Amino acid sequence: HPDVGKAKAASDALKGKIREVRAQALPDVSINAGATRWRDPSLLNASGIDKFPPELLDVLVPEPVNIFTYSLDIKQPLYTAGKVGTALKLASVEAEGALVDIDRAEQDLALSTVRAFYGLLWAERYLSLVEETQQQRKLQAEMARARFRNGVATEVDVLRSEVAVANGEPELVRAENAIRLARAQLNFHLVRPVDFPTRISGEFEQKPWEEEDLDALTKEAFRHRPEITRLRIAERSAGVQLNLAKAENRMRADFTGSYGIMSRLPENLADSKFARWTLGVNFTLPVFDGLKRSGMVWQATANQRAARLEREKVEQQVRLGLQQGLDELAAARETILAARANVAQAEKVLSMMQNNYKYGAATTLDVTAAQVALSEARTNLLRGLHDHSVARAGLRWAMGLTPWE
């Protein structure tokens, strides 16, 4: 999935950053070569040169000369006041955070996929309910036409039944469109073409939720939620950044070395008599940096405080999300209980109205009203089962667990 791929790409980028920072502690080796043609009149510009005899001045007139050189140069940091080590630690901490970001992206994708699965399952079951209701309407219309032919029903009864059938057709179309949309959403999360004929299997199950204690759920969430882990890493990162800012513009020592050949003639470039080498240790002690280091420390301190406050805020949001999840689960559970009882009553009422209509004790309006009531009751039950499954998956996600079971 693109979101997971982005998180993994960010992790790979941080691996490269670690390698870049580690390079600061390793030798910097380079090979340099050059060819120069130059003329230097330095002697002619010396003070008192005018006192020299003319014949000597003629000798001192420089001639252009060629200089060929190549060398192997090395630079190695010896002491950086802990700056390189701190930068390595910072990169390592951020790499941990990148791995957590991958976990978070995978969990978010898992929740979206589960919701899309339940959405498609609901759409398919809802279509079955609509088709069943429409079939009842057609049977009722056929019964009304038969009774009209036998002279025991009026034309109004037939028209009412046929209108009820016609009114049900748009609902069938909407239900079929809902299936296509739900399947497209599921395909998107599965990284499939939106029109891929994905088929699912399963039923809504009302499983009991065992743990109702909010404090226990919160502790579990704090241990497993990627966001909390990421923010804790961000706090650690802010602390390391503060140390890195404190190491800025401190004394440092660097070793430098060079070995090569310098000659006026190319044929001497392999002659060791023309070798040139240098070895040295350079010390740098900043005296005044315009308060740059102080400003960096100030920023790092503020960022550290902001990271702590952000973690505390998200922890409160996690607790609030868990409470909301428990409330949604309880509401769905109550909806299911009420809907089950209502479905049983609506089925009984419809059966009674249909029997009464056969014997002329009820009208088509009575039957249609009973059909609508049963359809609404079954839809409410289906919606309650869907909401219960989604709420259960969301609550597991809020605890940092996989949303499926």
Side-chain angles (χ1 to χ4, degrees), residues 94-363:
E94 288 297 328
E96 292 181 32
L99 294 177
V100 175
D101 288 339
I102 295 176
D103 293 339
R104 179 179 179 179
E106 290 176 344
Q107 281 204 354
D108 290 346
L109 175 61
L111 179 61
S112 299
T113 304
V114 169
R115 285 176 172 173
F117 170 83
Y118 285 137
L120 179 56
L121 184 61
W122 180 88
E124 291 180 348
R125 298 301 177 271
Y126 178 69
L127 177 61
S128 299
L129 290 180
V130 173
E131 290 175 340
E132 183 179 350
T133 301
Q134 186 69 353
Q135 184 64 27
Q136 291 177 351
R137 290 169 181 162
K138 291 180 179 179
L139 292 176
Q140 178 63 28
E142 183 63 31
M143 183 184 300
R145 284 191 288 268
R147 287 174 56 81
F148 176 70
R149 288 192 297 269
N150 295 330
V152 293
T154 65
E155 186 178 2
V156 172
D157 291 337
V158 175
L159 293 176
R160 285 173 177 172
S161 301
E162 292 176 347
V163 168
V165 172
N167 288 338
E169 292 300 326
E171 191 173 357
L172 271 174
V173 174
R174 288 192 293 269
E176 292 170 352
N177 289 339
I179 289 179
R180 284 192 291 271
L181 178 59
R183 181 175 288 114
Q185 290 178 339
L186 181 60
N187 286 334
F188 168 76
H189 294 300
L190 296 176
V191 198
R192 293 176 174 176
V194 293
D195 56 350
F196 188 84
T198 300
R199 295 289 180 265
I200 62 173
S201 62
E203 295 293 338
F204 291 115
E205 296 182 7
Q206 185 185 0
K207 297 181 180 180
W209 185 265
E210 299 178 356
E211 184 60 70
E212 298 284 348
D213 184 61
L214 182 60
D215 292 333
L217 294 177
T218 301
K219 291 180 180 178
E220 187 75 11
F222 285 176
R223 285 195 298 267
H224 296 99
R225 279 291 288 269
E227 297 94 327
I228 301 299
T229 304
R230 185 66 179 90
L231 290 172
R232 288 172 181 162
I233 292 175
E235 277 192 275
R236 289 169 49 202
S237 176
V240 178
Q241 288 176 348
L242 177 59
N243 294 332
L244 184 61
K246 292 178 179 178
E248 184 70 22
N249 283 341
R250 295 284 191 176
M251 189 190 77
R252 64 175 295 156
D254 297 284
F255 166 79
T256 58
S258 177
Y259 180 86
I261 299 292
M262 176 182 287
S263 173
R264 291 186 303 109
L265 302 176
E267 56 266 24
N268 295 329
L269 291 178
D271 193 340
S272 61
K273 292 188 300 182
F274 293 86
R276 183 182 67 169
W277 57 268
T278 60
L279 297 175
V281 177
N282 301 322
F283 293 90
T284 303
L285 180 60
V287 177
F288 181 70
D289 62 355
L291 301 179
K292 175 184 176 181
R293 175 175 169 273
S294 175
M296 295 178 65
V297 171
W298 197 345
Q299 294 179 61
T301 302
N303 290 335
Q304 187 179 36
R305 184 170 64 254
R308 175 179 56 81
L309 294 174
E310 180 67 17
R311 176 184 56 80
E312 293 175 354
K313 183 191 78 171
V314 172
E315 286 179 349
Q316 291 297 324
Q317 290 176 340
V318 168
R319 186 178 180 88
L320 178 61
L322 289 170
Q323 182 62 65
Q324 182 179 356
L326 288 173
D327 293 341
E328 291 176 350
L329 198 63
R333 186 164 53 244
E334 295 298 326
T335 300
I336 292 173
L337 291 176
R340 289 189 190 278
N342 197 22
V343 167
Q345 293 177 352
E347 289 175 344
K348 183 177 181 181
V349 169
L350 178 60
S351 177
M352 293 173 62
M353 289 298 103
Q354 289 174 338
N355 290 330
N356 290 342
Y357 181 76
K358 291 178 181 179
Y359 301 105
T363 66

